[in-house]
Amino acid sequence: MMEPAFGQDIRRYLAMLQKRRAIVITCVTVSMLLTVIYNYTTRPLYQATTQILIDRATPKVLPTKDLVDGGVQDFQTEYELLRGRTLAEKTIEKLGLQRSPELSTGPMMSPRERFQRKFLGQAPATTVDADGMPLSPAAAALRSRIRIEPLPGGRLVNLRFHAYDPGLAARVANTLAELYIEQSLDFRSANSTMATGWLSERLREQRVKVEAAERALIEYQERQGLAGSPAESSPDGERVSTLEAAVVAARMERVGKETALAQARSVPSYQLASLPAVVANPGVQEARSSVAELQAEYSRLGDTLGEKHPDMARLRGDIQVAQDKLQAEMRNALRALEGDAQAARAREAGLEASLVQARSESLEVGRKAIEYNALRREVEANKQLFQSLMSRSKETGLESELTSTNVRIIEKAEAPRAPISPNRTRNYQLGLLIGLGLGIALALLFEHVDNTVKTPEDVKALGMPFLGMVPNVAPRPGQPAAARAANTASPEAAVAEAYRVLRTNLIFSAPSEGGRALVLTSANPGEGKTTTTANLAVALALNGAKVLVVEADLRRPALHQHFRTRKTPGLSDLIVSKCQASQAIQSTRFKGLQVLPCGYIPPNPAELLGSGNMREIVAALRSCYDWVLIDTPPILAMADAPVLCPLVDGVILVVSAEQSPRPAVQRAVDQVLGVGGKFTGVVLNRVDLRRNSYYYGQYYGEYYRNYYAAPDSPAAQERRS
């Protein structure tokens, strides 16, 4: 059963990583080294947390519908006050932090901002508050270290402060909470005082009206000689009574509207959201809900993202738009209060006009009774309104005398024992992941850029048959370079089995009748074609075949060195008829293997190899030997090999693994096919099975790699045992 394509892809990628493991290891090492440097050079940052409870409480000047738990809460105003410029400056003044080394440097910067400022020369932006006023470096630094974290589903708030000094972090967090409570008390007292003063003025006015109404009633009784209330028998009297009750109700409504409007005008703009009359406005409620949701999202993302992150910048813009909308809605609510007060005054004036008209119409019918009842109701209405204002004045006076506030400290901050930054364990994990990711990415990139021929699949992708691969075996100490190839004839030689496999594949790929002449060449110099020719010839001879090795590299001959034979006479002498074949062909120490060396170095090697005499020599040698292996110069370097390709039965291309580029090999293939040559196959030479064991293990396995180990290596000794 064939391996699934997914499994093959996994194996291929693992092979790539195993081959490029040095890159991965280097990236991981560098990443971990940088992480260690960062962990031990970064100044530790500490965080202190004070937990506070924020309730909602405002002076009740007029009867209003209380907001139950779960309704709209004015918490966002409290959060802004906690982050406010005034509170920061009070904290700095109380703790004497104007010249603190930690705060004098300005706002706390992220690593990216620090890098830009130090190495790119980017000046930090001027820190301003919500009103656009520039802040002092100490105030800006203190505000940049404050974090407000509302706990979801409740009224608890964590007030966090970051500092390099753990003791300073705890002191600032506690001082901020204490000063915030004092500020809340001041706001509460100021609001109650303003409300009390306004109510006192209204009480004085109402008292004058009550006294005037009582005097008017008494004077009327004295003028008319009435000892009690006259009978009200006229229907007009009922209408007048109804209008009088409506006038009283309209007057109380007007007073209530004017009271709410006066209170709204007496408080600062940032405290409008704390007034029940403003909070009850649907537009204000919707805008505050939008601001609360955006600021909660900003607080949540602030723990993971920097201030310069695009999402944080977008949220700040959204919060500013929502806050502007809230301010607009509060202004609309204030205008609505003004409209309500004006409408109440108009309604009262209309009812009073109707009452005057009704009184004049019924004057003749029951003037005395109506006037008496009117005066009496005027007295009662003024007394009722006076009592209501008196009650509210007492309540407001009691609230102004209270020393409690809606903010309480639940848990005070303590000096932290361990820093929150740098988090060494997390940094090591991130460093390892970044190193691995970068290493794997670079390994895959280099593998993708690497266009050399590496595997049998690469050979088959060129449309060429694959004959086998020859491992790259380290030479034994002291072994001459000229003798390394011929030593493969020994059964104990490490690389001998590879050439036996190559020999078997070659025998089964060639016709079985008659002699076979093959050209062995390569695309570029230095790919091991001469060594491959010598060792393949030895392997064929040991199999009982009659083999002749022809040294057709008439420019830089080296084949005679492998077999330690004479250089002349040789092929060039035979082509120009300077000698006989029996004089040029030399025997070797291997039975059945003979060598035809190059002979003298001619000035025109390509012309000699392409001559008619060379064609006759190849035909004659094919008839006398089972195998004629012709070693030629590289195809792309010289024109010698292409002129020989049409004269032989096939061409064997030797490709050095992980060194020969695919385009060069493809050009060599095209050049051979262009002159009418036939390819017998490709030999993948110098395969590093030990360094890339996993890379080539899918073709030959672990035993094969150990088999080609050096004779004195532990793997080879283990194999022999």
Side-chain angles (χ1 to χ4, degrees):
M1 182 180 295
M2 296 183 63
E3 187 178 5
F6 178 76
Q8 293 178 357
D9 292 340
I10 292 297
R11 286 184 60 86
R12 184 170 69 254
Y13 285 120
L14 290 177
M16 293 178 185
L17 294 179
Q18 198 274 344
K19 176 187 174 183
R20 307 282 183 180
R21 58 187 178 275
I23 297 177
V24 179
I25 294 174
T26 301
C27 290
V28 172
T29 303
V30 172
S31 178
M32 295 304 293
L33 180 61
L34 293 177
T35 303
V36 171
I37 294 174
Y38 175 79
N39 281 340
Y40 288 95
T41 57
T42 302
R43 191 176 181 183
L45 183 65
Y46 296 87
Q47 174 181 276
T49 302
T50 298
Q51 190 174 81
I52 59 179
L53 175 66
I54 301 178
D55 286 324
R56 187 183 184 280
T58 55
K60 298 179 181 179
V61 178
L62 292 173
T64 57
K65 182 179 179 181
D66 293 337
L67 295 177
V68 298
D69 290 342
V72 178
Q73 299 292 329
D74 193 25
F75 291 141
Q76 296 305 320
T77 302
E78 307 292 340
Y79 303 156
E80 290 302 320
L81 291 175
L82 275 170
R83 301 188 188 98
R85 171 184 179 182
T86 303
L87 200 61
E89 292 178 348
K90 287 182 179 179
T91 303
I92 293 172
E93 182 179 357
K94 183 174 182 179
L95 296 179
L97 301 178
Q98 295 85 348
R99 300 183 180 275
S100 172
E102 181 167 340
L103 300 183
S104 61
T105 57
M108 184 174 290
M109 295 181 291
S110 64
R112 185 185 67 176
E113 293 172 334
R114 192 179 297 110
F115 175 83
Q116 291 175 346
R117 181 177 180 182
K118 185 174 182 180
F119 297 100
L120 303 182
Q122 180 176 347
T126 304
T127 304
V128 297
D129 62 5
D131 298 327
M133 299 295 293
L135 296 173
S136 64
L142 189 138
R143 289 185 62 185
S144 69
R145 290 159 166 78
I146 298 174
R147 295 290 183 272
I148 308 299
E149 182 182 318
L151 297 182
R155 295 167 295 175
L156 292 177
V157 178
N158 287 333
L159 173 59
R160 305 187 188 277
F161 188 80
H162 297 161
Y164 298 118
D165 182 1
L168 177 63
R171 291 197 303 273
V172 172
N174 291 327
T175 303
L176 275 170
E178 294 169 358
L179 292 177
Y180 175 63
I181 292 176
E182 294 178 3
Q183 180 177 269
S184 299
L185 284 172
D186 293 341
F187 286 163
R188 184 187 181 96
S189 176
N191 291 341
S192 299
T193 301
M194 287 187 293
T196 301
W198 188 88
L199 285 173
S200 298
E201 185 177 351
R202 301 286 82 76
L203 277 173
R204 286 194 296 272
E205 295 175 356
Q206 194 62 32
R207 183 180 293 107
V208 172
K209 291 181 180 180
V210 170
E211 293 174 353
E214 290 178 343
R215 284 197 300 272
L217 179 61
I218 294 172
E219 290 174 358
Y220 180 79
Q221 287 178 332
E222 290 176 351
R223 286 196 306 270
Q224 299 298 330
L226 298 175
S229 174
E232 297 179 358
S233 58
S234 174
D236 291 337
E238 296 181 358
R239 178 168 174 262
V240 171
S241 299
T242 302
L243 287 174
E244 288 177 345
V247 168
V248 171
R251 186 172 300 166
M252 293 186 65
E253 180 182 2
R254 173 185 60 80
V255 172
K257 298 294 184 181
E258 289 179 347
T259 303
L261 179 61
Q263 185 180 14
R265 288 175 173 175
S266 65
V267 299
S269 59
Y270 61 85
Q271 293 185 9
L272 282 176
S274 63
L275 297 178
V278 176
V279 173
N281 186 280
V284 174
Q285 293 181 5
E286 182 180 356
R288 292 176 65 191
S289 298
S290 177
V291 171
E293 292 174 359
L294 290 173
Q295 291 186 338
E297 179 69 12
Y298 184 87
S299 177
R300 183 180 66 81
L301 293 180
D303 295 334
T304 56
L305 304 179
E307 293 292 332
K308 301 296 184 179
H309 194 275
D311 290 344
M312 298 295 287
R314 177 182 59 79
L315 280 176
R316 285 196 296 272
D318 293 345
I319 291 173
Q320 184 61 43
V321 171
Q323 289 176 342
D324 294 342
K325 182 178 179 182
L326 176 59
Q327 294 295 327
E329 291 294 340
M330 288 193 293
R331 289 193 295 271
N332 292 337
L334 183 59
R335 286 194 291 270
L337 290 177
E338 294 174 352
D340 292 344
Q342 185 176 359
R345 286 193 292 269
R347 187 161 49 253
E348 181 185 7
L351 289 173
E352 287 179 347
S354 299
L355 178 61
V356 170
Q357 183 179 359
R359 285 174 176 174
S360 63
E361 291 175 355
S362 61
L363 182 61
E364 297 300 330
V365 180
R367 182 177 58 82
K368 292 184 179 181
I370 294 174
E371 289 181 356
Y372 178 82
N373 290 333
L375 292 173
R376 188 185 64 184
R377 287 186 174 84
E378 183 73 18
V379 172
E380 293 176 353
N382 287 329
K383 285 184 177 180
Q384 185 177 358
L385 183 57
F386 180 78
Q387 294 296 329
S388 177
L389 290 175
M390 180 66 73
S391 176
R392 295 304 174 195
S393 178
K394 291 180 179 179
E395 292 179 2
T396 305
L398 291 175
E399 289 181 355
S400 63
E401 295 176 0
L402 291 176
T403 58
S404 62
T405 180
N406 61 326
V407 183
R408 295 190 298 276
I409 296 178
I410 303 302
E411 292 184 5
K412 285 192 174 183
E414 296 182 357
R417 296 182 177 85
I420 61 168
S421 176
N423 189 333
R424 294 180 179 177
T425 302
R426 184 185 63 185
N427 292 342
Y428 286 136
Q429 294 171 350
L430 290 176
L432 179 61
L433 291 177
I434 293 173
L436 282 175
L438 181 61
I440 292 173
L442 289 178
L444 296 179
L445 175 63
F446 289 159
E447 188 68 22
H448 179 72
V449 174
D450 185 8
N451 65 345
T452 59
V453 178
K454 297 178 282 295
T455 64
E457 278 73 14
D458 296 337
V459 174
K460 295 175 182 177
L462 297 173
M464 304 297 298
F466 176 69
L467 292 178
M469 65 170 59
V470 178
N472 187 22
V473 180
R476 293 191 297 272
Q479 182 183 21
R484 292 172 187 168
N487 283 344
T488 59
S490 172
E492 296 297 328
V495 78
E497 187 63 27
Y499 285 103
R500 295 190 189 101
V501 174
L502 178 59
R503 174 192 67 191
T504 302
N505 294 338
L506 179 61
I507 291 173
F508 282 98
S509 65
S512 58
E513 296 181 358
R516 285 153 287 186
L518 302 175
V519 166
L520 281 85
T521 185
S522 62
N524 297 301
E527 298 195 47
K529 60 177 180 57
T530 301
T531 303
T532 302
T533 303
N535 284 286
L536 180 58
V538 172
L540 290 170
L542 292 177
N543 196 41
K546 189 176 181 181
V547 183
L548 176 66
V549 182
V550 180
E551 189 171 13
D553 189 349
L554 303 182
R555 301 175 186 271
R556 298 183 62 183
L559 188 62
H560 63 282
Q561 298 177 1
H562 287 277
F563 296 102
R564 300 176 183 178
T565 60
R566 301 188 309 274
K567 183 178 179 181
T568 56
L571 178 61
S572 59
D573 301 289
L574 188 60
I575 294 174
V576 298
S577 303
K578 285 186 178 182
C579 66
Q580 300 295 324
S582 58
Q583 296 174 337
I585 296 176
Q586 304 176 38
S587 299
T588 65
R589 62 188 180 92
F590 304 105
K591 182 180 179 181
L593 176 60
Q594 293 181 320
V595 178
L596 176 58
C598 66
Y600 79 98
I601 304 299
N604 54 346
E607 287 76 6
L608 287 181
L609 296 176
S611 64
N613 289 342
M614 184 63 188
R615 181 184 299 274
E616 295 175 358
I617 291 173
V618 172
L621 294 176
R622 185 190 292 113
S623 63
C624 298
Y625 292 91
D626 297 326
W627 297 92
V628 178
L629 305 182
I630 304 175
D631 180 34
T632 64
I635 295 178
L636 300 181
M638 306 295 173
D640 302 4
V643 300
L644 286 175
C645 292
L647 309 180
V648 298
D649 299 303
V651 177
I652 296 177
L653 187 65
V654 179
V655 177
S656 181
E658 304 179 54
Q659 295 181 10
S660 300
R662 291 191 188 95
V665 176
Q666 186 64 56
R667 288 198 302 272
V669 171
D670 295 340
Q671 191 165 348
V672 171
L673 296 178
V675 298
K678 299 178 182 179
F679 267 103
T680 301
V682 175
V683 176
L684 200 58
N685 193 32
R686 296 176 180 172
V687 176
D688 195 342
L689 294 176
R690 295 191 61 81
R691 183 172 66 89
N692 300 323
S693 58
Y694 191 89
Y695 194 73
Y696 294 103
Q698 55 183 315
Y699 305 106
Y700 290 96
E702 182 68 18
Y703 177 79
Y704 194 77
R705 178 178 68 84
N706 293 334
Y707 190 88
Y708 289 110
D712 298 331
S713 67
Q717 295 175 4
E718 180 181 355
R719 174 174 55 82
R720 288 196 295 269
S721 62

